[in-house]
Amino acid sequence: PETDEDECYAAEAKEVLTRLLPVGTEVEIETDPALDKRDRFGRILAYVERDGTNINLELVREGAASPYFFHGDRGRYALDLLEAANEASRHQRGLWGACSGTALDPLHSVQTRS
């Protein structure tokens, strides 16, 4: 969910990220050769790792994020991300429980509904 668009669960997702990566945390950034390096807004597209933990995957597991395969392109963690999203959705974790009517559609960015 996008905080600047005031989407459902955006503030809570930011809290989850802050818990996983407090300010000042050292991380490793890993780009994927199968995917673009930046999005159309110039943001770096990468996997974030802390102490061997894939933070992208953790966010999806907790329902604080949803996978989005832009133009259908799938990176090295696509199956893991999709499996984690299906599990989070099934168990109504995070945005899946808080934002009724939100659909898991990895070919489009998540559109939360309150």
Side-chain angles (χ1 to χ4, degrees):
E2 298 283 344
T3 55
D4 62 340
E5 295 179 20
D6 200 30
E7 289 186 15
C8 178
Y9 207 73
E12 295 87 345
K14 184 177 179 180
E15 289 175 15
V16 172
L17 179 59
T18 301
R19 179 175 46 79
L20 292 171
L21 294 177
V23 173
T25 301
E26 288 192 28
V27 297
E28 291 182 38
I29 302 295
E30 175 189 5
T31 58
D32 194 319
L35 303 173
D36 294 335
K37 303 292 182 244
R38 293 189 180 267
D39 69 8
R40 64 187 174 143
F41 303 106
R43 298 177 295 201
I44 296 171
L45 301 174
Y47 304 109
V48 178
E49 190 174 293
R50 175 188 182 194
D51 299 329
T53 299
N54 181 322
I55 300 301
N56 308 64
L57 188 54
E58 288 303 309
L59 288 168
V60 173
R61 280 187 181 130
E62 292 195 29
S66 179
Y68 174 26
F69 305 138
F70 190 67
H71 293 305
D73 296 338
R74 294 175 179 234
R76 72 173 59 99
Y77 299 112
L79 291 177
D80 294 332
L81 291 164
L82 193 53
E83 182 179 300
N86 279 313
E87 176 88 2
S89 175
R90 214 174 17 258
H91 292 285
Q92 297 291 291
R93 284 189 216 120
L95 67 92
W96 307 110
C99 311
S100 63
T102 300
L104 174 57
D105 179 0
L107 297 179
H108 298 91
S109 62
V110 69
Q111 300 293 311
T112 60
R113 293 159 180 66
S114 329

